[in-house]
Amino acid sequence: MGLEIERKGADGACTLVVRGEVDLYSSPDLRSAITKAMPKFGGSVSVDLRGIPYMDSSGVATLVEGYRTAMERSTAFILLTPSQSVLKVLQLSRLDTVFTIRNEA
Amino acid sequence: MLRGYLVSQGERGQERRVPIGPSITLGRAVDCGFIIDDAAASRRHLRIATEGERFVWKDLGSTNGTQLNGQPMLEGVLKNGDRLQVGETVMRFEIEDITDEEPKESTTIFKETIVDWQQEGLGEQIGEKEERAERLLRAVYAVMNEIASNYEPCPLVDRILETTMKAIDAQRGSVVFAGEDKSTIEPCPVCHKFHVIQQGRLTHVEEREFHISNTVAHRVLKRGESLLFQDTDRDSELNVSASIMSLRLRSIICVPLRGKFGIFGLLYIDSDRAGHQYTHEDMLLTTAVGNSAGLALENATMHGQILEKQRIDQEIQHAWKIQEGFLVRQWPEGDGRFQVYGETRPAKTVGGDFYDFVQPDANHVGILIGDVSGKGVPAALTMAQLLAEFRQGIHRTSSPSAVLQILNESLVQRSPKGTFCTLCYLVLNVSDGHVVCANAGHHPVIGIGKNGVRVFGDASGPPAGILPTCRWKDTETQIGAADTLLLFTDGIVEARAMNTQRAGEDEIEDFGMERLCEALKGHYRSTPRELIERLNQKVMGFCAPVMPHDDCTLIAVKYLG
């Protein structure tokens, strides 16, 4: 199943709305979208995760990579409204303590 | 009358000046009138239209936006000297009054001639025509010979180019490949460079050093017909092509390379020499070559892909052997105080699961389990590095959380950004059943005893390798004689099966913690090995008929008291 990634908002403060399963095969798409959205310095990147029914460890690795790149560039990296299953994966591995997670209605 | 121009600086400082005409689209796609060779450019990035004396521009909903004189903007009217910027590419806009210009400057750059080589061969030229036909046959024959004896795509591309270009005395030529939707051209898929012959010299150049007429390339890719262009031709569509004008091309032959599944590339030949015109005959020869060369190239590429796949398979086998070599295979027997056993069942590719068993001192045994993010050789190498550090680290401290800290520091410093590792390390005092464990983002420990199955030692922090200064906590507990402690990885609880019980609705289900604990209930008498074998069978049965998609790794230690 392919991944749909929609980019919203201005450069330097955009939101990636991701829909579909993030696994070993689709996570490279997410990775490249995050890389492209990442400002050279400052700003923010938000990843909207409400449309993800399943995410495996390669998806988590992609988010971690985004997080670490963002740290280096003083960019805010925000996970928006993760679905229950994604939140479970993050909570289980205690990554919920690492990421900034925001819930939007 | 006013005319707008876009001016940009090329790689080597040369200026590229493109007239705007009624309108022009700028972007990365080859059919754009002005191609922006910049990763930040969208395929169709912006458009400029001439409206009487005004030049109106509009961003076509590009991904990365457009800047006008340094300000991000969406549309507007251009003034002389305005700077449009897309990514790193800056284009200057210029307005010129062309009212007084002689019309030939703008409209009759290319003069008319009709290409009909059959008419050319009359009278005394008959002998020459025969000679040409022979030359054509020889050339095709030479290319066929090369094709028959060459299975390597790169040298094959070179030979196709060399023999074709020699046969028609071409000035410059290249074999280019079609991008996914046939709207872009790509370099050689094997060496990722463009194979070019210019003035008789064969070179392999980067994309930025290579420019051909994109209008022509695009047209041949789309229509699938060979094309001959001469600057004396009246083909109006090509005459106004910005790429032909900016490259000052006089003559072009472009023929499709056809494989079993359609057109996948082009044999492209051009010339910017005044008076150098390719003929219809040259095009026929090139087309004949293109037809056979396409199939040969496709075969060679497929042959190459098969070899490459074999090589990767072998590499994975090697990686797996390296990984296996690091994992404990000989389990201690005969110590009346404990039993221990662990194993990993790799999925199709080499994964990042690992386990280890250590005896830091006479009264303690330790079991470690970990899962490195990602798969393949990089994960195997990270695992090898972690195990080496772990075996040293346990002698530096007796606290499991301090060991995790050592591994975290090493991982943060040395591995790529997306690499992290969940880890759970527990130490059992085999003289009194005291247990200390630390967990970095891993699944908890399962204790199996007479009184049932319990879960403890939840992760006290994220996986190792993410935060440089992360700390974890030691959790302590006491177990009784005959209790077993089990560590496991994702592959067990995330083993997936299609649940078709609901009518008409397929649902994917995980093996899950509940099934795992259920499978262990009442098995406190089993040895670690028996428990692990039982679990593996349960997981395989659950996933059947497919195999588990991820590595399944388990390690258990039993305290005999």
Side-chain angles (χ1 to χ4, degrees), chain B residues 238-403:
Chain B
L238 290 177
N239 270 350
V240 294
S241 151
S243 52
I244 290 182
M245 281 169 75
S246 62
L247 293 167
R248 296 173 193 281
L249 297 176
R250 306 284 182 153
S251 188
I252 304 169
I253 292 175
C254 186
V255 309
L257 293 172
R258 262 178 236 277
K260 288 187 204 78
F261 309 106
I263 297 165
F264 66 86
L266 301 169
L267 182 50
Y268 173 96
I269 285 162
D270 67 17
S271 168
D272 62 3
R273 223 183 286 152
H276 191 201
Q277 302 282 308
Y278 298 115
T279 63
H280 186 73
E281 176 206 27
D282 292 337
M283 186 191 72
L284 287 182
L285 183 144
T286 314
T287 307
V289 171
N291 285 340
S292 326
L295 279 173
L297 254 178
E298 193 176 66
N299 285 341
T301 313
M302 272 155 76
H303 181 72
Q305 279 168 352
I306 292 167
L307 290 182
E308 177 69 6
K309 192 178 173 305
Q310 283 173 349
R311 195 186 61 75
I312 291 171
D313 285 349
Q314 264 176 3
E315 209 171 84
I316 288 172
Q317 286 299 322
H318 281 304
W320 176 232
K321 281 203 177 116
I322 294 170
Q323 191 165 357
E324 262 190 320
F326 273 95
L327 299 176
V328 180
R329 284 279 176 275
Q330 299 289 322
W331 301 98
E333 278 172 28
D335 189 316
R337 299 173 298 171
F338 73 94
Q339 288 171 332
V340 62
Y341 181 76
E343 66 170 46
T344 180
R345 298 194 174 196
K348 265 184 266 170
T349 49
V350 178
D353 277 16
F354 61 93
Y355 60 81
D356 205 11
F357 162 75
V358 285
Q359 288 180 285
D361 59 58
N363 283 327
H364 291 88
V365 296
I367 55 173
L368 170 82
I369 199 156
D371 183 358
V372 179
S373 62
K375 298 220 180 296
V377 179
L381 290 174
T382 305
M383 179 222 81
Q385 176 201 328
L386 273 172
L387 277 182
E389 309 236 357
F390 171 68
R391 287 169 194 176
Q392 286 180 351
I394 55 155
H395 298 296
R396 284 165 52 194
T397 169
S398 60
S399 149
S401 64
V403 172

Side-chain angles (χ1 to χ4, degrees), chain A residues 7 11 21 24 40 54 60-61 64-65 67-69 72 92-95 97-98, chain B residues 63-64 88 373 375 412 417-418 420 441 443 459 461-463 465-467 496 549:
Chain A
R7 187 177 157 145
D11 279 358
E21 296 198 347
L24 193 60
K40 287 192 176 123
Y54 174 80
V60 177
V64 167
E65 186 181 353
Y67 167 81
R68 289 188 63 185
T69 310
E72 281 173 7
L92 184 82
S93 55
R94 287 291 163 141
L95 281 163
T97 61
V98 174
Chain B
T63 310
N64 294 316
E88 306 279 307
S373 62
K375 298 220 180 296
V412 167
K417 265 182 258 169
F420 60 85
H443 294 281
I466 302 171
L467 303 171
R496 302 177 96 192
H549 70 291

